[in-house]
C-alpha cells in the first residue's frame, strides 16, 4: 500500500503529524505546523517535545508517553503550546511496535483549555459539568486511591516531582486532559471516557509511581457512569454528592449507579438533613456557650455573646451554613433567642448578645416575636442585644433597617457583626441605624504590626464616632492586640485574651485583665503628667 494512503488517514483526524524518538526529539514532522504549533513543520525536526509544549503541561505529556505500551493509544488531551498564551493543541499519541519505541503523535488546533495541574474541588465540579454538557461520548467519574502515597512521599526530596507526575498521569487519563482533582489524602477523581478500560488507568498510574521508585504502592479505582438525565443546573450537585461520599467513605461503599442516581441520593440526603436539623431545633438539642466582651475604657465585663453549640461538635459554623441553606435559620434563631431569654430572666446581672442571621432580621415574624416576648418580660429590658451576622442574606436594607429600629425601640442594642468581611460593608453602615459595629477578626489579628489593618481600623473608628456608633474588636488574642485596638480608640474587645466561650457566663474576668488595665491606666496618667506644662 502506498505511504500516502496512511498519511491520508492520519490527516483525516489531525492537522499535524509528529514522530518522537526515544531520545524525546522530533524525528518526523508533517502538516500545518504553523497553525498548530506556530512553527513550520520543517523547523520542528530535531526539537525536543518539551520545547513544543508549555512547561506546565510537561508532567502530563511525560506521564502520557511513559504510560504508553506498544500498540496502546492515549489522548486526546488539550495542551498549551510553548511560548504562546493564546494557542492550545489536541494531542493523541500511539506507540506502534514496528516503530522501534518511537511515538506517533497526531495534533490539531484546540480551543483554549483551563489551568494545568490538578483543579480545586470547585473548579473541577464546574469544569466536569461543562465537559459533560458538550461531550460527544459517554463519560464516567473515576476515582483513584493511592493508599500510602503521602506516607512514602513524606520527607522525600522528590515529593514535588511525584506530585507533578501523578497530576500529569491523572490528566493524561482524563477526558480532553482536563478535569482531575484531589478528593482527599491520596485519593483523586477525574472525568474520563467510559469506554476506556479501568485497568489502563491503574497500570498507567502504577507505571509513573514505579518510575519514581514507589513501586510498592498499589493504586485502586472505581467509577460512576455519568449517565441518566439530570438538568444542567443539578449536575454539579450530583457530582458533589459522589465526591463527598468518596471523601467520607473511601471506595468501600458502592458508588451511585449513575449521575441521576447520585442526584436522587443527594436530594434524599438534603431532605433527611433538613429533617434531622429541624427536629434538633424543635427539640432544643443544642446548648449555649457564652463568651465575655470587655469594656476597653476600664477593663470591666460588659456583656457576653451567646454562641450556639450542637452536641460535642466545636464550631457551629457548618450547621449554621446548612441551616441557612435549608431555610431553617429563622427557627434556629428563634429557639436560641427563647433559651437566651430564659437565662436572662434567671440572672438579672447578665447582659447577653444573640446572633441573628440577616435572613431572620428580614422576617416580620421573627421581629414581632422578639417584640412580643420582650413586652411580656420587662425585667429583661436593656439586657438583650443582637449581632447581625450573615448580612449577605439582607436583600432589602430599607426593610432590614425598619426591623432593626423595632428591635431598638423594644430596648435592644443592635450590632453589625463581621464588619469588613464579605457582605458587611459601608452600604450597611450608611443605611442601617446601629448602636455597635464589630470589626472582623482578620483586621484585629494583624493590627499590632501596623500597616494597612491599622489604617483601616483607625479610620473606621473615626467614622463610627461621627455616626455615633460604638466599636467592638473580636479575636483579640494577645495583650499586644489589646493595646493596638485600645490605641485605635475601639470601645470593646472580645477574644481568647479574655476567655473562650464557656458553658456558663463567667461572672468576673481573669485577674490579669484588671491588673493590665490598672497598669495601663497608670502609665497613661504618668505620660499626661509629664506633658503637663507645669510638670
Ligand atoms: P461570630 O458571631 O463572628 O462569632 C465569633 C466566632 O469567633 C466564634 O466562633 C468564637 O468562638 C470565635 N472566637 C472568639 N474569640 C476568638 C479568638 O480570640 N480567636 C479566634 N481564632 N476565634 C475566636 P463560633 O462559636 O464557631 O461561631 C461561628 C459563627 O457561627 C459565629 O461567628 C456566628 O456567625 C455563628 N453563630 C453562632 N451562634 C449562632 C446563632 O445562635 N445564630 C446564628 N444565626 N449564628 C450563630
Ligand atoms: Mg457574633
Ligand atoms: Mg465574627
Amino acid at each position: 500500500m502506498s505511504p500516502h494512503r496512511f498519511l491520508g488517514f492520519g490527516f483525516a483526524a489531525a492537522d499535524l503529524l509528529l514522530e518522537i524518538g526515544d531520545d524525546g526529539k522530533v524525528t518526523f514532522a508533517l502538516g500545518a505546523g504553523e497553525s498548530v504549533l506556530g512553527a513550520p513543520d520543517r523547523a520542528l525536526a530535531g526539537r525536543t517535545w518539551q520545547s513544543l509544549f508549555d512547561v506546565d503541561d510537561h508532567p502530563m505529556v511525560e506521564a502520557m508517553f511513559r504510560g504508553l505500551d506498544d500498540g496502546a493509544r492515549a489522548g486526546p488531551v488539550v495542551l498549551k503550546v510553548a511560548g504562546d498564551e493564546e494557542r492550545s493543541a489536541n494531542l493523541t499519541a500511539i506507540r506502534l511496535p514496528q516503530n522501534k519505541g518511537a511515538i506517533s503523535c497526531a495534533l490539531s488546533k484546540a480551543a483554549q483549555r483551563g489551568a494545568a495541574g490538578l483543579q480545586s474541588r470547585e473548579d473541577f465540579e464546574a469544569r466536569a459539568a461543562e465537559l459533560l454538557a458538550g461531550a460527544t461520548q459517554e463519560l464516567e467519574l473515576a476515582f483513584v486511591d493511592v493508599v500510602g502515597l503521602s506516607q512514602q512521599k513524606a520527607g522525600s526530596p522528590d515529593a514535588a516531582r511525584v506530585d507533578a507526575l501523578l497530576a500529569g498521569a491523572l490528566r493524561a487519563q482524563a477526558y480532553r486532559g482536563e478535569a482531575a482533582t484531589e478528593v482527599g489524602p491520596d485519593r483523586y477523581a477525574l472525568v474520563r471516557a467510559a469506554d476506556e478500560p479501568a485497568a489502563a488507568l491503574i497500570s498507567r498510574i502504577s507505571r509513573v509511581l514505579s518510575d519514581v521508585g514507589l513501586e510498592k504502592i498499589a493504586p485502586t479505582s472505581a467509577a460512576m457512569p455519568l449517565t441518566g438525565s439530570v438538568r444542567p443546573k443539578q449536575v454539579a450537585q450530583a457530582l458533589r454528592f459522589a465526591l463527598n461520599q468518596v471523601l467520607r467513605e473511601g471506595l468501600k461503599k458502592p458508588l451511585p449507579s449513575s449521575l441521576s442516581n447520585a442526584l436522587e441520593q443527594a436530594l434524599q440526603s438534603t431532605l433527611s438533613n433538613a429533617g434531622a436539623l429541624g427536629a434538633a431545633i424543635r427539640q432544643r438539642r443544642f446548648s449555649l456557650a457564652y463568651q465575655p466582651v470587655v469594656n476597653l475604657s476600664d477593663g470591666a465585663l460588659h456583656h457576653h455573646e451567646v454562641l450556639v453549640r450542637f452536641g460535642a461538635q466545636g464550631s457551629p459554623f457548618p450547621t449554621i451554613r446548612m441551616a441557612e441553606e435549608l431555610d431553617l435559620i429563622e427557627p434556629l434563631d428563634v429557639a436560641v433567642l427563647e433559651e437566651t431569654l430564659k437565662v436572662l430572666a434567671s440572672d438579672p446581672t447578665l447582659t447577653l448578645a444573640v446572633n441573628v442571621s440577616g435572613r431572620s432580621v428580614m422576617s416580620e415574624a421573627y421581629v414581632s416575636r422578639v417584640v412580643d416576648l420582650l413586652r411580656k418580660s420587662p425585667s429583661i429590658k436593656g439586657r438583650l442585644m443582637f449581632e447581625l451576622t450573615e448580612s449577605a442574606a439582607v436583600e432589602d436594607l430599607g426593610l432590614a433597617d425598619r426591623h432593626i429600629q423595632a428591635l431598638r425601640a423594644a430596648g435592644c442594642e443592635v450590632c453589625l457583626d463581621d464588619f469588613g468581611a464579605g457582605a458587611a460593608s459601608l452600604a450597611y453602615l450608611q443605611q442601617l441605624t446601629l448602636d455597635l459595629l464589630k470589626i472582623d477578626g482578620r483586621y484585629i489579628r494583624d493590627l499590632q504590626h501596623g500597616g494597612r489593618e491599622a489604617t483601616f481600623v483607625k479610620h473606621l473608628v473615626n467614622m463610627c464616632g461621627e455616626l455615633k456608633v460604638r466599636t467592638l474588636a473580636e479575636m483579640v488574642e494577645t495583650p499586644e492586640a489589646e493595646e493596638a485596638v485600645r490605641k485605635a480608640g475601639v470601645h470593646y474587645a472580645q477574644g481568647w485574651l479574655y476567655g473562650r466561650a464557656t458553658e456558663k457566663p463567667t461572672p468576673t474576668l481573669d485577674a490579669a485583665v484588671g491588673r493590665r488595665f490598672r497598669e495601663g491606666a497608670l502609665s497613661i496618667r504618668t505620660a499626661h503628667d509629664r506633658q503637663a506644662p507645669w510638670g
Side-chain angles (χ1 to χ4, degrees):
M1 192 160 38
S2 119
H4 288 101
R5 199 178 255 172
F6 289 113
L7 283 178
F9 292 140
F11 282 120
D15 302 321
L16 176 67
L17 304 176
L18 293 183
E19 188 185 73
I20 309 221
D22 53 8
D23 59 354
K25 288 192 177 144
V26 175
T27 47
F28 170 86
L30 192 68
E34 193 74 68
S35 110
V36 180
L37 295 179
D41 55 4
R42 55 183 188 285
L44 295 172
R47 283 177 60 176
T48 61
W49 65 259
Q50 285 89 344
S51 72
L52 305 178
F53 306 120
D54 190 88
V55 64
D56 286 349
D57 285 325
H58 289 181
M60 172 166 74
V61 179
E62 193 177 338
M64 185 170 163
F65 288 173
R66 276 169 188 257
L68 268 184
D69 288 320
D70 271 352
R73 199 176 68 139
V77 296
V78 185
L79 300 168
K80 280 216 165 80
V81 171
D84 188 340
E85 276 298 300
E86 303 291 304
R87 212 186 284 260
S88 296
N90 286 305
L91 166 71
T92 308
I94 186 163
R95 195 194 291 271
L96 291 175
Q98 300 82 352
N99 267 356
K100 298 191 211 95
I103 294 171
S104 314
C105 299
L107 287 122
S108 58
K109 276 183 81 157
Q112 285 266 46
R113 68 148 188 80
L118 294 180
Q119 284 145 321
S120 69
R121 267 290 292 271
E122 291 82 50
D123 289 351
F124 175 80
E125 284 163 17
R127 192 70 195 115
E130 278 168 24
L131 285 173
L132 197 58
T136 49
Q137 62 188 119
E138 297 243 314
L139 301 179
E140 65 181 23
L141 177 64
F143 292 95
V144 182
D145 253 8
V146 196
V147 176
L149 176 66
S150 38
Q151 219 179 358
Q152 298 225 12
K153 221 172 52 182
S156 150
D158 285 340
R161 185 169 148 71
V162 174
D163 283 340
L165 272 179
L166 184 63
L170 289 162
R171 267 188 53 212
Q173 292 297 299
Y175 178 60
R176 286 172 43 92
E178 296 209 34
T181 191
E182 187 173 20
V183 186
D186 300 342
R187 181 164 292 149
Y188 303 88
L190 62 153
V191 172
R192 72 196 287 260
D195 56 5
E196 298 247 358
L201 176 60
I202 293 299
S203 79
R204 287 175 189 181
I205 288 172
S206 304
R207 177 88 54 95
V208 164
L209 292 173
S210 75
D211 279 355
V212 289
L214 299 176
E215 52 276 288
K216 285 208 204 85
I217 298 175
T220 54
S221 78
M224 172 183 118
L226 294 176
T227 52
S229 65
V230 171
R231 282 190 288 131
K233 273 194 171 158
Q234 293 182 308
V235 170
Q237 195 183 354
L239 289 170
R240 191 168 316 140
F241 176 82
L243 289 162
N244 282 339
Q245 180 188 311
V246 172
L247 178 65
R248 270 195 326 269
E249 321 256 351
L251 296 179
K252 295 186 299 280
K253 196 173 163 184
L255 289 165
S257 56
S258 64
L259 193 62
S260 41
N261 181 236
L263 181 65
E264 228 167 82
Q265 291 190 35
L267 297 178
Q268 290 251 328
S269 117
T270 307
L271 277 178
S272 82
N273 280 340
L277 181 57
I281 294 169
R282 270 194 313 281
Q283 295 159 9
R284 305 287 157 98
R285 276 190 273 118
F286 57 80
S287 58
L288 302 181
Y290 307 85
Q291 190 178 26
V293 173
V294 308
N295 192 329
L296 284 173
S297 68
D298 55 7
L301 179 70
H302 187 264
H303 69 274
H304 288 85
E305 176 177 5
V306 177
L307 295 159
V308 72
R309 293 286 177 263
F310 294 92
Q313 177 194 355
S315 173
F317 213 62
T319 314
I320 300 274
R321 268 286 107 77
M322 187 159 95
E324 306 244 358
E325 269 168 28
L326 300 176
D327 241 350
L328 285 167
I329 194 68
E330 188 180 333
L332 173 65
D333 282 344
V334 169
V336 169
L337 172 79
E338 290 179 355
E339 295 305 306
T340 301
L341 290 180
K342 284 185 204 161
V343 177
L344 282 171
S346 72
D347 183 348
T349 66
L350 284 177
T351 300
L352 297 176
V354 288
N355 286 284
V356 53
S357 163
R359 263 179 220 238
S360 308
V361 159
M362 295 294 293
S363 149
E364 203 78 54
Y366 178 84
V367 176
S368 353
R369 180 114 188 96
V370 175
V371 172
D372 193 42
L373 286 169
L374 285 173
R375 197 177 303 129
K376 286 185 193 142
S377 8
S379 73
I380 286 165
K381 205 172 160 124
R383 295 193 290 124
L384 176 68
M385 301 166 70
F386 290 94
E387 287 190 13
L388 177 60
T389 64
E390 257 314 289
S391 43
V394 174
E395 283 154 2
D396 177 346
L397 280 170
L399 177 65
D401 192 50
R402 286 196 292 284
H403 286 171
I404 287 172
Q405 300 325 313
L407 297 176
R408 296 178 73 219
C412 302
E413 290 201 313
V414 178
C415 172
L416 181 60
D417 205 348
D418 303 320
F419 189 86
S425 64
L426 285 180
Y428 289 76
L429 192 52
Q430 187 196 3
Q431 294 188 46
L432 306 175
T433 304
L434 300 158
D435 300 287
L436 279 151
L437 179 141
K438 197 185 253 193
I439 308 163
D440 193 70
R442 78 186 62 184
Y443 298 98
I444 307 306
R445 277 199 227 158
D446 298 322
L447 189 63
Q448 70 246 38
H449 310 304
R452 299 166 81 93
E453 284 73 22
T455 312
F456 175 84
V457 171
K458 196 175 74 195
H459 288 287
L460 187 58
V461 170
N462 284 341
M463 188 165 61
C464 285
E466 285 181 28
L467 293 170
K468 310 247 173 326
V469 174
R470 278 129 61 220
T471 47
L472 196 163
E474 64 176 3
M475 301 214 188
V476 173
E477 296 178 352
T478 59
E480 291 74 29
E482 174 185 81
E483 188 54 26
V485 291
R486 203 144 66 122
K487 268 200 191 129
V490 174
H491 297 87
Y492 307 100
Q494 172 182 12
W496 294 345
L497 182 62
Y498 314 102
R500 302 199 178 211
T502 49
E503 258 174 65
K504 297 252 174 289
T506 44
T508 51
L509 291 167
D510 193 86
V513 180
R515 214 163 32 244
R516 226 176 23 248
F517 272 82
R518 277 191 302 279
E519 285 161 10
L522 200 66
S523 69
I524 290 168
R525 204 174 309 128
T526 341
H528 261 284
D529 292 347
R530 246 186 272 127
Q531 277 161 19
W534 57 88

